[in-house]
Amino acid sequence: WRDCTRIAAGDIQLWYQILRENRSPVLQALENFAKVLQGWRAALENDQPEQILSLLELGKQIRDQAVGN
């Protein structure tokens, strides 16, 4: 939990400026994230085990590439 929330512990004014100065890319990232969350929601609501497994595998692949595993 600490690692996931470390930004919240930082300087609020600094993050406010970062978000304002990067407004367009942040909005695009939020839009992309909303689409990913909708995919998860649909897979869970519709009880689609293959889709859930596929999403989990994709997340693992992305994480492994990011950390070099």
Side-chain angles (χ1 to χ4, degrees), residues 33-60:
F33 188 54
K35 289 177 186 175
V36 169
L37 286 176
Q38 183 56 38
W40 273 99
R41 182 182 187 120
L44 289 167
E45 282 180 342
N46 298 315
D47 193 23
Q48 298 173 315
E50 299 85 13
Q51 183 64 16
I52 295 168
L53 289 169
S54 177
L55 288 166
L56 288 167
E57 181 61 34
L58 178 60
K60 182 179 180 341

Side-chain angles (χ1 to χ4, degrees), residues 17-34:
Q17 289 300 320
I18 290 170
L19 290 170
R20 285 202 63 216
E21 291 181 22
N22 295 282
R23 185 174 176 261
S24 292
V26 169
L27 287 170
Q28 184 61 57
L30 288 171
E31 180 66 26
N32 294 342
F33 188 54

Side-chain angles (χ1 to χ4, degrees), residues 60-69:
K60 182 179 180 341
Q61 289 173 4
I62 291 169
R63 193 259 181 205
D64 288 351
Q65 288 175 356
V67 298
N69 286 340

Side-chain angles (χ1 to χ4, degrees), residues 1-18:
W1 176 252
R2 186 176 305 186
D3 288 342
C4 293
T5 61
R6 70 180 169 79
I7 289 175
D11 183 336
I12 293 170
Q13 289 300 317
L14 172 65
W15 282 107
Y16 171 71
Q17 289 300 320
I18 290 170

